[in-house]
Amino acid sequence: MRLTLILFLFMTLQTVHSLEVAIIGGGAAGLAATRVFARNGFHPTVLEKDSAVGGVWRHTPGDSTRPMYKGLRTNLPREIMAYREFSWGSGSGKSYVTHKQVLEYLKRYSNHFDLEQYICYDSKVTQLTVLSNGDDDDWPRIRLDWRSRNEKLSKIFDAVCICNGHYAQPSSPSIAGMDTFTGRVLHSVEYDDPTEFEGQTVLCIGARASGSDLAREISQHAQHVYLSDSTAEKQATLGKLTLVPRTIAMNDDNRVEFGNNCPVSPQVDTVIFCSGYDYSFPFINEKSNLPLVTGRRRVMPLYKQLWHAKRPSVSFLG
């Protein structure tokens, strides 16, 4: 629906001149945008910073900057995740697939619709600048600067779709006393293999999708895992995994204090923040001529959570 709205507006403007459209990112959202633009007669330029498609679904062992981890399976069935016009395929495989299977699906999608022709790999966007004459400029053009294999490139586009995802800027809450903790502290983006926590007592802060999954995996190897959930009212233990309320503070001797008068105060070896990510657009700054506020897991000002409210030639997908 969102891509249809974008195209309706773009097709209306196309009567003036042939539009140059850029798409930042070659992951799931970027590929979908590329397909829809190409299907409607456009020739988009896709700027992908990595050397292959897939975005966040590309797992690289030991890479602490990517959120994929060794044992990840999707928390949505593949039947729901599939693009409408490209089925996952027949077979009796599991509905909840691995990251490798998702990546293979995205590659098949790209190859099936010949999307490779539009993608510029190893192209990291460094600057987005809106070329506007003021608030009366209803559809300003945008200049993008990027690096491609040590070469600096620049081009002006009529519209830009930002599809760079939201798993690049880890977010961690402030916990009293964490500065005195002598154990290991990491964010879930750095996690990959549960065996490295063998025999440890581990605290996972955040009990949504990633936190619950990491706690489950790690509990198969650790001495004990505590999963801190801000919505939990009291502790509950199943095997080597204990659900506890919100983490309040880190006390002396690496002992953790939980809320709701929780009587449990374990001494932990490792703290993993499973607290999500903030939106990050490193190519948008004070030089961009694009007022943008990020924080609290949202981007403003956007119309329909899609177009920039003051610069509608810039849209945010995914």
Side-chain angles (χ1 to χ4, degrees):
M1 180 62 180
R2 288 186 170 186
L3 287 172
T4 302
L5 289 171
I6 289 178
L7 279 166
F8 175 77
L9 188 53
F10 285 179
M11 294 293 280
T12 301
L13 292 173
Q14 196 177 25
T15 58
V16 180
H17 60 275
S18 181
L19 288 173
E20 290 279 0
V21 179
I23 297 170
I24 302 176
L31 289 176
T34 304
R35 164 59 181 158
V36 175
F37 278 115
R39 188 178 63 198
N40 286 272
F42 293 85
H43 195 288
T45 298
V46 183
L47 300 173
E48 167 54 51
K49 66 180 179 63
D50 292 333
S51 58
V53 298
V56 72
W57 293 102
R58 295 179 63 240
H59 172 244
T60 303
D63 188 344
S64 61
T65 66
R66 307 182 74 93
M68 282 301 112
Y69 49 93
K70 183 178 179 181
L72 181 140
R73 282 186 177 272
T74 62
N75 60 351
L76 290 174
R78 63 180 186 176
E79 292 81 2
I80 292 178
M81 292 182 66
Y83 296 116
R84 183 178 299 176
E85 63 176 345
F86 190 71
S87 68
W88 201 282
S90 59
S92 58
K94 295 181 179 180
S95 287
Y96 296 90
V97 294
T98 66
H99 55 74
K100 182 178 179 180
Q101 290 172 302
V102 176
L103 180 59
E104 290 172 348
Y105 171 77
L106 293 175
K107 289 179 178 178
R108 293 198 307 272
Y109 178 80
S110 178
N111 292 333
H112 180 79
F113 293 112
D114 195 22
L115 303 183
E116 291 285 332
Q117 61 178 306
Y118 306 108
I119 305 175
C120 303
Y121 290 114
D122 298 308
S123 297
K124 183 177 181 179
V125 177
T126 57
Q127 182 67 41
L128 180 152
T129 306
V130 177
L131 307 177
S132 174
N133 296 322
D135 292 337
D136 293 334
D137 193 347
D138 293 334
W139 194 270
R141 304 185 80 193
I142 304 110
R143 186 182 70 240
L144 292 182
D145 300 304
W146 69 93
R147 288 183 176 272
S148 180
R149 299 179 178 89
N150 297 320
E151 183 180 4
K152 292 183 178 180
L153 300 171
S154 181
K155 185 175 179 179
I156 295 176
F157 296 91
D158 295 284
V160 172
C161 292
I162 299 174
C163 308
N164 69 325
H166 54 273
Y167 293 101
Q169 185 63 50
S171 175
S172 300
S174 177
I175 304 294
M178 279 300 299
D179 55 335
T180 66
F181 181 60
T182 59
R184 181 186 178 191
V185 180
L186 65 153
H187 189 275
S188 58
V189 72
E190 303 171 69
Y191 171 82
D192 191 37
D193 190 342
T195 61
E196 63 179 287
F197 303 97
E198 190 75 40
Q200 295 185 22
T201 299
V202 178
L203 169 64
C204 293
I205 299 178
R208 298 300 179 264
S210 61
S212 298
D213 201 34
L214 265 61
R216 177 191 59 80
E217 281 197 356
I218 295 172
S219 68
Q220 299 175 34
H221 302 273
Q223 178 178 333
H224 203 88
V225 176
Y226 293 88
L227 178 60
S228 180
D229 183 356
S230 60
T231 66
E233 297 183 357
K234 59 183 180 179
Q235 77 275 14
T237 299
L238 179 62
K240 295 194 295 181
L241 177 61
T242 298
L243 179 70
V244 290
R246 181 190 299 272
T247 299
I248 300 299
M250 180 66 69
N251 296 325
D252 295 339
D253 301 324
N254 296 347
R255 291 192 176 277
V256 189
E257 178 183 347
F258 303 111
N260 293 347
N261 297 313
C262 180
V264 177
S265 183
Q267 187 177 53
V268 300
D269 302 297
T270 299
V271 174
I272 305 177
F273 284 100
C274 309
S275 41
Y277 301 81
D278 289 325
Y279 286 99
S280 176
F281 309 104
F283 42 83
I284 298 177
N285 49 46
E286 65 278 0
K287 299 178 182 179
S288 296
N289 191 24
L290 184 72
L292 195 71
V293 177
T294 60
R296 297 184 180 181
R297 310 292 168 85
R298 59 181 178 176
V299 180
M300 300 180 294
L302 298 185
Y303 175 69
K304 298 290 187 180
Q305 299 300 310
L306 181 60
W307 288 286
H308 192 280
K310 296 183 178 180
R311 304 284 190 261
S313 51
V314 180
S315 59
F316 296 79
L317 299 177

